[in-house]
Amino acid sequence: MELLKNLYIYEWKKLLQKKIVWITVFISVLILIVSLLSYFISPYEGTLEERFDAYQLDKEYSMVLDGRKIDHALLSEIKEAYKNIPYTKGIDYTITEEYQQYARRYSTIFRIVRGITKLSTSELILSWEPEEDKFYEERRLWMGTNWEDLKLSSQEKEFWEKKEEQVEKPIVYRHHEAYLALTNLYQTVGYIVLLVIAICLSGLFPEEYMRKTDQIILSSPMGKTMLYRVKIIVGVSFALLSSLFFSTIIFVGTFLLYGVNGFFAAFQLIAGLFPCSLTCGQAVLIMYGLMVMAAVTSSIFVMVISEIFCSNIGTLALFTVALMIGMMVEIPRQYRGVSQLWNWLPWCYISPFNVFEGYTISVFGQNFTSWQALPVIYLLAAVGMALLGKRIYQKGIM
Amino acid sequence: MMDRELKKRIKKIFEEEKPPQREKIQFLNNLPASELSMGQFIMIQAGYLRRWVIVSTILSAVPVLLVANFMKQNILWMIFALIPLLAVLAVAENNRSIQYGMIEFEMSTRFSLKSVVLARMIVLGIMDFVMIFFFLLICKKEKDFSLFQTSCYLLVPYLLTATGSLWIVRHFPNKDAIYSCMVLAVLVSSLSSSLYFRADFLYEFSYIKWWVIVLIFLMIKAGYEIYYTIKQTEECIWSL
Amino acid sequence: MELVIDRVSKQYENHIAVDRISLRLREGVYGLLGANGAGKTTLMRVICGILKPTSGSVYFDGIEVKEEGYRAILGYLPQDFGYYPEFTGKDFLLYIAALKGMEKRVAKKKTEELLDLVALQTVAEKKIKSYSGGMKQRLGIAQALLNEPKLLILDEPTTGLDPGERVKFRNLLAELGKKSIILLSTHIISDLEDITDEVLLMKSGEIVYQGKWEEKKRWVRGALPSLFY
């Protein structure tokens, strides 16, 4: 145990002595802070101060609506408010006085309603006839369309139907700005974490070969078995710590800016068509928890690839390309199996759309959602990759 | 058909005896050796560029073409992601002499290290600018930016990476420098990709003046780095 | 103690680097001589367990080379080795000591002793990147001796050492050779003359001569040119 601890400390020392690690972490923190403040630094509606004042006003309106059910009464109020706005082609209606006077107070809920009912044009808004039953029925229909697009099996549809029955209707509105921001920032944070892992860990193994210390290490008693374990543990620890570190920055920053309200708000306020009775807080914890798992799995992947390539540059290039392709490329849903597999890769999974997509995995006739199944799958993949890496390492670099 | 025997005899008559070889080697040594021009030297250096660098540079067009043809969106995003990697490929290739310990050999030749570095820079620079021009043409499919606008948006991340990498390689002439350049490229790539989505207002025409200012600054800085990189090759001679 | 090398061969695609070498070595200092490309470094790497032989086996007192127990008694100085530039000399030795399974307290004591022995005590807290070539070589020697090895494999150990340091090193080896098996390869004959008990001449992957240095000194000197051509 003492030996393990000693070697663990030395490997951390080797990692933290590299200036590139500190520079990368520093720049990543900067990028995260800019992302966090991006709403306020956008010049679309005036100066920073004006933007902040606008946010405060929206927050006040939102707090007034906090606790109200999205029922017939509220939907009718929204319709009446938006009916007053003069819609002119080519002019953004949000800059009109009528919008500020009548509709703005309902804008946060209207965004949710719009997401469900797809009221994309002013004609659709004006012709919209709000009815509570019709609203939730329309929601149900859009969910069904979504399931068809995803090519879900009848078993899966049944599974989600049962989950949908547990969702409290009418949905109660709660101020949840912080959790919306955390959901929107999730992919950015995930991307940054994976990038930091790739930059800092891709040299953990090849460094010994590049610095020509491999011969001394491999000829020592601990060099072939213990050291491999230690390096993997250090890599996993680094992935864990960096994902927690960046998540903490984002959580603290978001709560400072937007407040902490909304943990128990229905997640349907963020993802209108989501058929599960999760709260915003639970959903955010699931996302960020899965990000930590994806980070750990990716760290082992990076380390094993670096052993195969014996090059930190090659590893970094490959992983960066994989990250970018994961973000940009979407497999068409008609290829269900490939699409699901692609979306569940760690570097593709760091997106709220993929976390709460409808794909499930069936084990012994029981359906499991991605956030239930993936921790186990990632763990097994991580162990498998680590064992493969051990074989490669012990075979030697020569 | 001429008689074979007759042919042989005629051949024998017209075969002259070869004169004795006197001072042949001296004669050949005294012939003025044809000197390689700088242009020829550059062409020769182009031939010595590593194949995978040339192939990778050309292949960077493939994902862009795929995205342009099948997705018809996110083309600029893909280009922003790839362009810094082009820059770092070029700088890494340029830095080969230090990486593989060839400095002393190259410093002691007629076309010294300075010429080698300059020749590589010219060839790699031309290659990259051809790729950037190609990307410019492809970009038109996605957005209605003018050619001038698109050039600014593509050249800024490219020059930022190239300038930063040249600075790193100049100040840290060791094998680790290229990895640091790669990290810079990855960070610039991530930054430019995320700006495109999170701060898309920066790509409006009203902000073009800022892009031009940054571009001019980077061009001056790049020129400065190139100048001092080449100058440093001369300093190497005196510091050894 | 006995090191048994039993019909060890190492073949690469179309080149046999080590060709069925069998040796039995006991306590003492053995010099391994041969031209560049004779297979000395390959043989040493096989003995250290870094390279897997194509055939044959290596045992030390019955322990096979691939077992951890074997590497516990081994000290190895490679011909061309690297370091972590940000580590100090002391850090490096402590790190290698940890890899050798030494307790921290014991490792600290041994590190100080060895730094003193190789005359690096004044620069122990300085980063290795500031060391000269000779200092790095001495650090390499020190790490090989950390675990008081019973089997010491040294590949060109005197590279970069000045004449004074070489004499000190030879004396150290002569002392160590009384209780360990030392195999050292070198191109410098004078390094072998005073300390080696036996010399092993290697050519094209084979041992062409094994015998006492003193007995066949003249023969060995005469045979040397043929090794190199």
Side-chain angles (χ1 to χ4, degrees):
Chain A
M1 210 50 206
E2 182 74 24
L3 265 172
L4 192 87
K5 194 182 110 188
N6 273 346
L7 285 173
Y8 182 76
I9 291 167
Y10 275 113
E11 288 299 321
W12 263 110
K13 196 172 178 179
K14 277 157 72 179
L15 187 63
L16 295 177
Q17 270 177 347
K18 292 183 196 161
K19 291 190 190 77
I20 201 80
V21 169
W22 296 101
I23 293 169
T24 305
V25 168
F26 176 71
I27 293 175
S28 302
V29 169
L30 280 179
I31 294 175
L32 274 183
I33 291 171
V34 167
S35 299
L36 192 61
L37 297 172
S38 61
Y39 170 81
F40 296 98
I41 60 178
S42 164
Y44 283 131
E45 284 180 48
T47 63
L48 180 67
E49 211 180 295
E50 285 166 356
R51 202 85 182 113
F52 190 73
D53 289 341
Y55 164 68
Q56 289 291 92
L57 183 63
D58 284 327
K59 187 179 175 183
E60 271 173 39
Y61 288 145
S62 177
M63 293 306 289
V64 166
L65 292 168
D66 191 275
R68 283 197 66 177
K69 294 183 182 175
I70 303 178
D71 55 11
H72 182 79
L74 183 56
L75 292 171
S76 302
E77 279 176 44
I78 293 170
K79 171 65 195 270
E80 282 308 307
Y82 275 81
K83 212 169 66 174
N84 292 308
I85 300 169
Y87 294 100
T88 315
K89 203 170 181 175
I91 295 175
D92 180 9
Y93 69 77
T94 60
I95 62 169
T96 61
E97 267 187 48
E98 288 84 354
Y99 171 79
Q100 298 296 328
Q101 192 179 348
Y102 300 107
R104 189 168 179 171
R105 63 193 72 244
Y106 297 104
S107 59
T108 45
I109 294 191
F110 186 61
R111 178 178 44 76
I112 297 161
V113 167
R114 205 173 189 170
I116 292 169
T117 55
K118 317 285 182 206
L119 297 172
S120 51
T121 63
S122 52
E123 291 83 9
L124 286 170
I125 295 170
L126 289 169
S127 62
W128 175 46
E129 290 299 331
E131 257 184 58
E132 185 181 324
D133 290 338
K134 201 174 154 193
F135 173 72
Y136 287 103
E137 183 53 33
E138 209 174 333
R139 177 175 170 271
R140 176 66 194 77
L141 285 168
W142 280 116
M143 268 164 42
T145 310
N146 206 27
W147 294 343
E148 287 298 326
D149 279 341
L150 290 171
K151 306 274 182 259
L152 297 188
S153 64
S154 48
Q155 192 185 346
E156 281 175 312
K157 286 177 193 167
E158 218 179 284
F159 171 78
W160 287 118
E161 294 274 9
K162 285 202 182 112
K163 292 276 180 195
E164 169 62 12
E165 279 162 21
Q166 292 166 11
V167 173
E168 189 193 324
K169 288 183 266 299
I171 298 167
V172 177
Y173 178 79
R174 298 234 177 259
H175 179 68
H176 61 283
E177 241 7 71
Y179 297 90
L180 179 63
L182 285 169
T183 307
N184 289 337
L185 285 167
Y186 176 61
Q187 193 169 26
T188 305
V189 178
Y191 184 81
I192 297 278
V193 165
L194 293 186
L195 208 58
V196 167
I197 285 169
I199 291 170
C200 299
L201 297 183
S202 55
L204 204 66
F205 282 95
E207 184 191 34
E208 309 298 356
Y209 170 66
M210 282 152 41
R211 293 210 185 283
K212 296 185 186 173
T213 50
D214 55 314
Q215 292 180 74
I216 294 175
I217 284 170
L218 288 173
S219 64
S220 63
M222 305 295 139
K224 280 197 174 179
T225 45
M226 178 81 85
L227 189 64
Y228 175 79
R229 269 181 238 147
V230 168
K231 281 184 185 284
I232 292 289
I233 293 170
V234 165
V236 166
S237 310
F238 182 83
L240 210 61
L241 286 170
S242 48
S243 51
L244 289 171
F245 171 68
F246 289 115
S247 300
T248 305
I249 291 176
I250 279 297
F251 271 70
V252 167
T254 306
F255 289 145
L256 282 173
L257 281 173
Y258 299 104
V260 298
N261 300 67
F263 187 92
F264 297 106
F267 189 50
Q268 281 71 26
L269 297 174
I270 293 175
L273 302 179
F274 184 63
C276 198
S277 61
L278 283 178
T279 66
C280 287
Q282 286 171 331
V284 156
L285 287 174
I286 286 172
M287 279 192 280
Y288 283 83
L290 283 164
M291 186 193 70
V292 172
M293 292 232 58
V296 166
T297 311
S298 299
S299 70
I300 296 184
F301 177 75
V302 164
M303 288 189 281
V304 171
I305 291 292
S306 73
E307 279 189 80
I308 295 170
F309 284 0
C310 280
S311 160
N312 49 3
I313 295 177
T315 307
L316 181 59
L318 178 76
F319 195 76
T320 308
V321 167
L323 254 183
M324 283 176 195
I325 291 175
M327 281 179 74
M328 292 179 198
V329 172
E330 218 183 278
I331 306 288
R333 287 172 175 184
Q334 62 249 43
Y335 308 109
R336 153 79 198 248
V338 181
S339 175
Q340 184 171 353
L341 200 68
W342 180 258
N343 289 348
W344 285 15
L345 290 171
W347 45 90
C348 299
Y349 194 65
I350 45 160
S351 155
F353 303 106
N354 290 343
V355 174
F356 298 112
E357 211 168 29
Y359 292 134
T360 65
I361 190 167
S362 175
V363 178
F364 302 122
Q366 178 93 335
N367 285 83
F368 293 95
T369 59
S370 65
W371 63 86
Q372 289 168 326
L374 277 178
V376 176
I377 295 173
Y378 282 168
L379 181 66
L380 290 171
V383 169
M385 283 190 290
L387 289 171
L388 170 68
K390 189 178 178 191
R391 279 196 67 137
I392 299 167
Y393 180 79
Q394 287 179 342
K395 263 174 82 174
I397 296 161
M398 283 161 254
Chain B
M1 284 287 283
M2 204 186 261
D3 187 28
R4 204 183 279 177
E5 194 57 41
L6 183 61
K7 251 182 163 174
K8 261 193 198 168
R9 284 191 201 155
I10 293 170
K11 198 175 169 187
K12 208 174 169 182
I13 290 164
F14 284 96
E15 252 179 18
E16 284 182 25
E17 269 187 36
K18 287 183 192 155
Q21 287 187 354
R22 289 179 303 197
E23 298 166 359
K24 172 183 167 187
I25 292 166
Q26 194 185 345
F27 172 75
L28 287 173
N29 285 343
N30 285 337
L31 282 177
S34 58
E35 293 217 328
L36 216 56
S37 68
M38 189 61 189
Q40 286 171 316
F41 177 72
I42 291 172
M43 292 308 293
I44 290 171
Q45 279 300 312
Y48 281 108
L49 290 180
R50 285 179 289 190
R51 296 288 170 264
W52 69 266
V53 170
I54 300 170
V55 168
S56 304
T57 304
I58 295 168
L59 283 181
S60 66
V62 171
V64 175
L65 282 169
L66 285 172
V67 165
N69 277 312
F70 293 105
M71 289 171 69
K72 297 190 181 9
Q73 58 178 358
N74 296 337
I75 304 168
L76 260 179
W77 191 20
M78 176 62 86
I79 295 172
F80 286 150
L82 285 171
I83 233 175
L85 299 176
L86 278 186
V88 87
L89 258 179
V91 172
E93 184 60 12
N94 200 48
N95 196 49
R96 250 169 59 197
S97 306
I98 295 171
Q99 222 181 332
Y100 294 103
M102 286 290 291
I103 284 192
E104 290 185 62
F105 287 123
E106 286 172 353
M107 279 196 298
S108 60
T109 53
R110 182 200 150 202
F111 281 105
S112 68
L113 181 64
K114 180 177 161 184
S115 308
V116 170
V117 166
L118 192 58
R120 283 191 199 137
M121 275 185 180
I122 290 169
V123 175
L124 293 163
I126 291 171
M127 241 171 47
D128 280 356
F129 277 101
V130 165
M131 292 310 297
I132 291 173
F133 184 72
F134 171 73
F135 291 148
L136 267 174
L137 299 172
I138 299 272
C139 279
K140 284 298 276 176
K141 278 192 173 194
E142 185 183 352
K143 292 235 181 192
D144 269 325
F145 295 143
S146 66
L147 202 66
F148 177 70
Q149 258 181 295
T150 321
S151 313
C152 290
Y153 300 151
L154 295 188
L155 285 173
V156 164
Y158 177 82
L159 286 174
L160 181 61
T161 314
T163 310
S165 301
L166 284 170
W167 184 90
I168 290 170
V169 150
R170 205 160 60 79
H171 286 84
F172 306 99
N174 54 43
K175 290 178 187 178
D176 291 337
I178 296 303
Y179 185 70
S180 304
C181 297
M182 184 69 191
V183 171
L184 173 67
V186 165
L187 290 172
V188 170
S189 172
S190 310
L191 188 67
S192 43
S193 300
S194 65
L195 274 180
Y196 187 59
F197 281 98
R198 294 224 164 262
D200 56 348
F201 60 89
L202 288 172
Y203 294 89
E204 286 175 7
F205 193 75
S206 48
Y207 282 84
I208 196 67
K209 71 169 185 274
W210 295 107
W211 284 93
V212 171
I213 291 170
V214 170
L215 182 63
I216 292 171
F217 170 76
L218 285 173
M219 283 168 96
I220 295 169
K221 193 81 180 107
Y224 177 90
E225 288 300 329
I226 291 170
Y227 173 74
Y228 277 101
T229 300
I230 293 170
K231 199 166 163 54
Q232 194 170 293
T233 59
E234 295 169 355
E235 284 169 10
C236 278
I237 295 169
W238 304 109
S239 63
L240 273 176
Chain C
M1 65 179 78
E2 191 178 48
L3 175 70
V4 175
I5 301 165
D6 183 25
R7 290 166 292 176
V8 158
S9 289
K10 180 66 187 175
Q11 184 173 351
Y12 295 102
E13 268 177 34
N14 49 7
H15 164 66
I16 300 174
V18 174
D19 194 359
R20 291 178 67 83
I21 288 181
S22 291
L23 293 166
R24 278 179 185 271
L25 307 177
R26 291 183 174 278
E27 290 96 325
V29 184
Y30 298 84
L32 184 60
L33 271 181
N36 291 330
K40 304 189 297 297
T41 299
T42 308
L43 176 63
M44 285 179 151
R45 284 180 181 169
V46 168
I47 294 170
C48 291
I50 299 168
L51 209 53
K52 198 174 159 198
T54 313
S55 62
S57 46
V58 179
Y59 293 88
F60 182 87
D61 282 349
I63 311 169
E64 217 192 327
V65 65
K66 59 185 178 200
E67 287 171 50
E68 209 177 275
Y70 181 100
R71 294 196 299 281
I73 50 87
L74 176 68
Y76 177 45
L77 175 62
Q79 182 178 10
D80 183 18
F81 68 93
Y83 52 89
Y84 308 114
E86 298 300 320
F87 270 24
T88 60
K90 194 174 174 186
D91 282 338
F92 183 74
L93 287 181
L94 287 172
Y95 174 66
I96 300 294
L99 284 174
K100 293 193 177 203
M102 291 169 71
E103 236 186 49
K104 207 169 182 177
R105 193 178 39 87
V106 172
K108 268 190 175 156
K109 189 162 168 283
K110 201 71 194 158
T111 300
E112 277 163 22
E113 269 175 34
L114 284 167
L115 284 169
D116 206 35
L117 185 71
V118 296
L120 286 177
Q121 70 276 52
T122 49
V123 294
E125 301 295 342
K126 290 202 173 140
K127 290 189 182 169
I128 303 175
K129 62 184 180 187
S130 64
Y131 284 13
S132 68
M135 286 156 92
K136 285 176 198 158
Q137 191 67 13
R138 277 145 51 201
L139 188 67
I141 293 165
Q143 66 78 30
L145 300 176
L146 268 170
N147 55 335
E148 288 171 16
K150 293 201 181 79
L151 175 61
L152 191 55
I153 309 291
L154 307 166
D155 200 345
E156 312 267 357
T158 55
T159 310
L161 298 183
D162 64 40
E165 285 160 355
R166 292 221 315 266
V167 167
K168 267 170 111 179
F169 180 66
R170 266 186 251 147
N171 294 340
L172 173 66
L173 284 188
E175 204 49 49
L176 288 171
K178 291 175 186 163
K179 39 187 178 135
S180 333
I181 300 171
I182 301 177
L183 180 65
L184 80 113
S185 84
T186 182
H187 289 130
I188 305 167
I189 310 295
S190 57
D191 279 348
L192 301 177
E193 271 178 332
D194 297 328
I195 55 164
T196 23
D197 302 312
E198 270 193 29
V199 69
L200 305 161
L201 298 184
M202 199 164 172
K203 184 177 181 181
S204 303
E206 291 176 325
I207 299 287
V208 297
Y209 172 77
Q210 177 183 4
K212 295 263 182 237
W213 177 250
E214 271 306 322
E215 272 175 21
K216 298 271 184 181
K217 207 195 287 198
R218 229 177 268 164
W219 184 92
V220 167
R221 279 200 175 277
L224 278 173
S226 69
L227 284 181
F228 292 86
Y229 295 101

